[in-house]
Amino acid sequence: MNELPILITLASVHFVALMSPGPDVALVVQNAARYGRQTGLYIALGLSAGILLHSILSLTGMSYLVHQHPNLFSTLQLVGGSYLTYLGYCALKGCWQAKNGTGSEPNQENNVLLNNKRQAFSRGLSTNILNPKALVFFISLMSSLVPADMSLIGKGIALIMLWGLSLVWFSLLAWVLSTQRMQSKVQAMAFYIDGLCGVIFSIVGTSILWQSIGGLLLNV
Protein backbone atom coordinates (compact mmCIF):
# COMPACT_ATOMS: atom_id res chain seq x y z
CA MET A 1 0.00 0.00 0.00
CA ASN A 2 1.35 3.40 -0.97
CA GLU A 3 1.15 5.37 2.28
CA LEU A 4 2.64 8.63 1.01
CA PRO A 5 -0.70 10.16 -0.14
CA ILE A 6 -2.22 9.28 3.25
CA LEU A 7 0.63 10.99 5.10
CA ILE A 8 0.44 14.09 2.88
CA THR A 9 -3.33 14.38 3.43
CA LEU A 10 -2.89 13.84 7.18
CA ALA A 11 -0.22 16.56 7.34
CA SER A 12 -2.31 19.01 5.29
CA VAL A 13 -5.45 18.61 7.41
CA HIS A 14 -3.46 18.84 10.63
CA PHE A 15 -1.59 21.97 9.51
CA VAL A 16 -4.81 23.76 8.59
CA ALA A 17 -6.20 22.85 12.02
CA LEU A 18 -3.05 24.17 13.71
CA MET A 19 -3.47 27.58 12.11
CA SER A 20 -7.13 27.87 13.09
CA PRO A 21 -7.76 30.29 16.00
CA GLY A 22 -8.27 28.41 19.24
CA PRO A 23 -6.90 27.94 22.78
CA ASP A 24 -3.48 26.66 21.58
CA VAL A 25 -2.81 29.63 19.29
CA ALA A 26 -4.24 32.05 21.85
CA LEU A 27 -1.90 30.68 24.54
CA VAL A 28 1.19 31.17 22.38
CA VAL A 29 0.15 34.63 21.20
CA GLN A 30 -0.70 35.89 24.69
CA ASN A 31 2.40 34.62 26.45
CA ALA A 32 5.08 34.94 23.77
CA ALA A 33 3.97 38.52 23.18
CA ARG A 34 4.00 39.43 26.86
CA TYR A 35 6.72 37.29 28.44
CA GLY A 36 9.19 36.70 25.63
CA ARG A 37 10.69 34.04 23.42
CA GLN A 38 11.77 31.51 26.02
CA THR A 39 8.29 31.28 27.53
CA GLY A 40 6.71 31.05 24.07
CA LEU A 41 9.07 28.26 22.95
CA TYR A 42 8.49 26.16 26.08
CA ILE A 43 4.73 26.60 25.67
CA ALA A 44 5.15 25.47 22.04
CA LEU A 45 7.04 22.41 23.26
CA GLY A 46 4.26 21.62 25.75
CA LEU A 47 1.52 22.04 23.15
CA SER A 48 3.31 19.77 20.66
CA ALA A 49 3.86 17.16 23.40
CA GLY A 50 0.11 17.23 24.07
CA ILE A 51 -0.60 16.75 20.36
CA LEU A 52 1.83 13.83 20.26
CA LEU A 53 0.05 12.23 23.21
CA HIS A 54 -3.37 12.76 21.60
CA SER A 55 -2.05 11.19 18.39
CA ILE A 56 -0.66 8.14 20.19
CA LEU A 57 -3.89 7.62 22.15
CA SER A 58 -5.96 7.95 18.97
CA LEU A 59 -3.81 5.53 16.97
CA THR A 60 -3.90 2.94 19.77
CA GLY A 61 -7.66 3.30 20.20
CA MET A 62 -7.52 4.62 23.77
CA SER A 63 -9.14 7.95 22.86
CA TYR A 64 -11.95 6.13 21.06
CA LEU A 65 -12.66 4.06 24.18
CA VAL A 66 -12.85 7.24 26.28
CA HIS A 67 -15.21 8.82 23.77
CA GLN A 68 -17.44 5.73 23.80
CA HIS A 69 -17.99 6.01 27.59
CA PRO A 70 -20.33 9.02 28.04
CA ASN A 71 -19.71 9.54 31.76
CA LEU A 72 -15.93 9.37 31.38
CA PHE A 73 -15.96 11.71 28.38
CA SER A 74 -18.30 14.16 30.14
CA THR A 75 -15.97 14.17 33.15
CA LEU A 76 -13.02 14.94 30.87
CA GLN A 77 -15.07 17.75 29.32
CA LEU A 78 -15.85 19.10 32.79
CA VAL A 79 -12.17 19.15 33.79
CA GLY A 80 -10.97 20.57 30.46
CA GLY A 81 -13.72 23.18 30.23
CA SER A 82 -13.05 24.32 33.80
CA TYR A 83 -9.34 24.69 33.07
CA LEU A 84 -9.86 26.73 29.90
CA THR A 85 -12.46 28.89 31.64
CA TYR A 86 -9.96 29.51 34.43
CA LEU A 87 -7.35 30.66 31.89
CA GLY A 88 -9.93 33.01 30.41
CA TYR A 89 -10.82 34.35 33.86
CA CYS A 90 -7.14 35.04 34.65
CA ALA A 91 -6.62 36.89 31.36
CA LEU A 92 -9.78 39.00 31.71
CA LYS A 93 -9.01 39.70 35.37
CA GLY A 94 -5.58 41.00 34.34
CA CYS A 95 -7.22 43.29 31.77
CA TRP A 96 -9.67 44.57 34.37
CA GLN A 97 -6.87 45.30 36.83
CA ALA A 98 -4.84 47.07 34.14
CA LYS A 99 -7.80 49.20 33.13
CA ASN A 100 -8.63 50.19 36.70
CA GLY A 101 -5.04 50.57 37.86
CA THR A 102 -5.33 47.86 40.52
CA GLY A 103 -2.47 45.45 41.04
CA SER A 104 1.17 46.30 40.47
CA GLU A 105 1.30 44.58 37.08
CA PRO A 106 -1.31 42.96 34.85
CA ASN A 107 -1.21 39.19 35.05
CA GLN A 108 1.66 39.36 37.53
CA GLU A 109 0.60 35.98 38.89
CA ASN A 110 0.89 34.37 35.48
CA ASN A 111 4.14 36.19 34.79
CA VAL A 112 5.85 34.59 37.79
CA LEU A 113 4.43 31.20 36.84
CA LEU A 114 5.42 31.29 33.19
CA ASN A 115 8.93 32.63 33.71
CA ASN A 116 9.66 29.10 34.91
CA LYS A 117 10.51 26.81 31.97
CA ARG A 118 8.85 23.76 33.51
CA GLN A 119 5.68 25.69 34.30
CA ALA A 120 5.52 27.16 30.80
CA PHE A 121 5.84 23.66 29.34
CA SER A 122 3.16 22.38 31.74
CA ARG A 123 0.80 25.20 30.76
CA GLY A 124 1.14 24.29 27.09
CA LEU A 125 0.73 20.55 27.74
CA SER A 126 -2.29 21.04 30.02
CA THR A 127 -4.05 23.42 27.64
CA ASN A 128 -3.82 20.94 24.78
CA ILE A 129 -4.31 17.62 26.55
CA LEU A 130 -7.27 18.84 28.64
CA ASN A 131 -9.10 20.21 25.62
CA PRO A 132 -11.80 17.62 24.75
CA LYS A 133 -12.21 19.19 21.31
CA ALA A 134 -8.63 18.11 20.54
CA LEU A 135 -9.47 14.55 21.60
CA VAL A 136 -12.50 14.45 19.28
CA PHE A 137 -10.48 16.02 16.42
CA PHE A 138 -7.73 13.40 16.60
CA ILE A 139 -10.21 10.53 16.84
CA SER A 140 -11.91 11.83 13.67
CA LEU A 141 -8.58 12.49 11.93
CA MET A 142 -7.10 9.07 12.66
CA SER A 143 -10.26 7.05 12.05
CA SER A 144 -11.01 8.73 8.72
CA LEU A 145 -7.51 9.04 7.25
CA VAL A 146 -5.40 6.26 8.79
CA PRO A 147 -6.41 2.77 7.58
CA ALA A 148 -6.38 -0.08 10.10
CA ASP A 149 -3.81 -2.01 8.03
CA MET A 150 -1.32 0.86 7.87
CA SER A 151 2.21 -0.35 8.64
CA LEU A 152 3.90 0.38 11.96
CA ILE A 153 6.53 2.40 10.10
CA GLY A 154 3.79 4.47 8.47
CA LYS A 155 2.11 5.09 11.82
CA GLY A 156 5.45 6.02 13.35
CA ILE A 157 6.11 8.51 10.54
CA ALA A 158 2.60 9.94 11.05
CA LEU A 159 3.26 10.49 14.76
CA ILE A 160 6.62 12.18 14.14
CA MET A 161 5.08 14.29 11.37
CA LEU A 162 2.13 15.50 13.50
CA TRP A 163 4.43 16.30 16.41
CA GLY A 164 7.04 17.98 14.19
CA LEU A 165 4.53 20.17 12.35
CA SER A 166 3.02 21.26 15.67
CA LEU A 167 6.39 22.10 17.21
CA VAL A 168 7.57 24.03 14.13
CA TRP A 169 4.33 26.02 13.78
CA PHE A 170 3.97 27.03 17.43
CA SER A 171 7.71 27.72 17.78
CA LEU A 172 7.66 29.88 14.65
CA LEU A 173 4.67 31.78 16.00
CA ALA A 174 6.42 32.31 19.34
CA TRP A 175 9.65 33.36 17.59
CA VAL A 176 7.98 35.93 15.33
CA LEU A 177 5.95 37.46 18.17
CA SER A 178 9.01 37.78 20.40
CA THR A 179 11.32 39.55 17.94
CA GLN A 180 12.43 43.00 19.03
CA ARG A 181 10.52 44.66 16.22
CA MET A 182 7.28 42.84 17.04
CA GLN A 183 7.68 43.23 20.80
CA SER A 184 7.35 47.02 20.66
CA LYS A 185 4.17 46.74 18.59
CA VAL A 186 2.73 43.88 20.62
CA GLN A 187 3.41 45.49 23.98
CA ALA A 188 1.38 48.51 22.88
CA MET A 189 -1.51 46.14 22.14
CA ALA A 190 -0.98 43.85 25.14
CA PHE A 191 -4.23 44.92 26.81
CA TYR A 192 -6.28 44.02 23.73
CA ILE A 193 -4.35 40.79 23.12
CA ASP A 194 -4.99 39.65 26.70
CA GLY A 195 -8.64 40.59 26.36
CA LEU A 196 -9.09 38.72 23.06
CA CYS A 197 -7.29 35.63 24.37
CA GLY A 198 -9.37 35.78 27.56
CA VAL A 199 -12.56 35.85 25.49
CA ILE A 200 -11.39 32.88 23.37
CA PHE A 201 -10.51 30.81 26.44
CA SER A 202 -13.78 31.73 28.14
CA ILE A 203 -16.01 30.98 25.14
CA VAL A 204 -14.36 27.63 24.40
CA GLY A 205 -14.23 26.70 28.10
CA THR A 206 -17.84 27.57 28.89
CA SER A 207 -19.12 25.84 25.73
CA ILE A 208 -17.28 22.66 26.77
CA LEU A 209 -18.66 22.98 30.31
CA TRP A 210 -22.19 23.36 28.93
CA GLN A 211 -21.77 20.22 26.82
CA SER A 212 -20.31 18.25 29.75
CA ILE A 213 -23.14 19.22 32.13
CA GLY A 214 -25.70 18.30 29.47
CA GLY A 215 -23.97 14.96 28.92
CA LEU A 216 -23.84 14.15 32.62
CA LEU A 217 -27.52 15.04 33.08
CA LEU A 218 -28.53 12.82 30.16
CA ASN A 219 -26.66 9.90 31.69
CA VAL A 220 -28.14 10.25 35.18
Side-chain angles (χ1 to χ4, degrees):
M1 179 177 65
N2 185 6
E3 297 175 343
L4 183 59
I6 297 172
L7 293 172
I8 292 174
T9 304
L10 194 65
S12 302
V13 173
H14 178 58
F15 191 64
V16 170
L18 284 174
M19 293 189 292
S20 302
D24 291 352
V25 171
L27 190 72
V28 176
V29 170
Q30 181 189 23
N31 291 287
R34 180 176 287 278
Y35 306 130
R37 181 167 297 164
Q38 179 175 273
T39 295
L41 291 176
Y42 273 90
I43 285 176
L45 188 60
L47 290 169
S48 58
I51 286 171
L52 177 62
L53 185 55
H54 270 303
S55 303
I56 292 172
L57 292 175
S58 295
L59 276 179
T60 56
M62 293 298 294
S63 293
Y64 180 76
L65 290 176
V66 171
H67 193 249
Q68 290 302 105
H69 289 76
N71 286 334
L72 182 56
F73 183 64
S74 293
T75 301
L76 176 62
Q77 284 184 307
L78 188 63
V79 173
S82 299
Y83 181 72
L84 292 175
T85 303
Y86 169 73
L87 292 183
Y89 165 76
C90 288
L92 294 174
K93 180 184 175 184
C95 289
W96 178 263
Q97 289 177 339
K99 182 179 179 180
N100 292 279
T102 58
S104 56
E105 183 182 350
N107 287 337
Q108 186 175 11
E109 227 174 70
N110 289 342
N111 190 19
V112 173
L113 181 68
L114 295 180
N115 273 336
N116 182 298
K117 297 176 184 178
R118 184 180 62 185
Q119 296 292 349
F121 173 84
S122 298
R123 177 66 62 85
L125 178 63
S126 301
T127 300
N128 183 269
I129 205 65
L130 291 177
N131 185 356
K133 291 184 180 294
L135 182 143
V136 174
F137 169 76
F138 281 100
I139 291 174
S140 303
L141 186 68
M142 297 303 182
S143 62
S144 61
L145 294 180
V146 178
D149 59 345
M150 190 177 193
S151 68
L152 286 177
I153 293 177
K155 290 179 179 178
I157 292 173
L159 288 175
I160 293 171
M161 182 180 63
L162 294 175
W163 172 77
L165 280 173
S166 306
L167 181 60
V168 169
W169 166 248
F170 290 127
S171 296
L172 180 62
L173 189 61
W175 186 278
V176 169
L177 289 170
S178 58
T179 58
Q180 187 174 0
R181 186 173 183 178
M182 283 296 295
Q183 279 283 289
S184 58
K185 296 179 180 179
V186 168
Q187 288 298 331
M189 300 172 60
F191 175 84
Y192 302 101
I193 291 173
D194 282 348
L196 179 60
C197 292
V199 169
I200 291 173
F201 286 130
S202 299
I203 290 175
V204 174
T206 52
S207 68
I208 291 172
L209 280 175
W210 180 260
Q211 292 172 9
S212 69
I213 292 171
L216 288 171
L217 290 174
L218 284 174
N219 295 315
V220 171

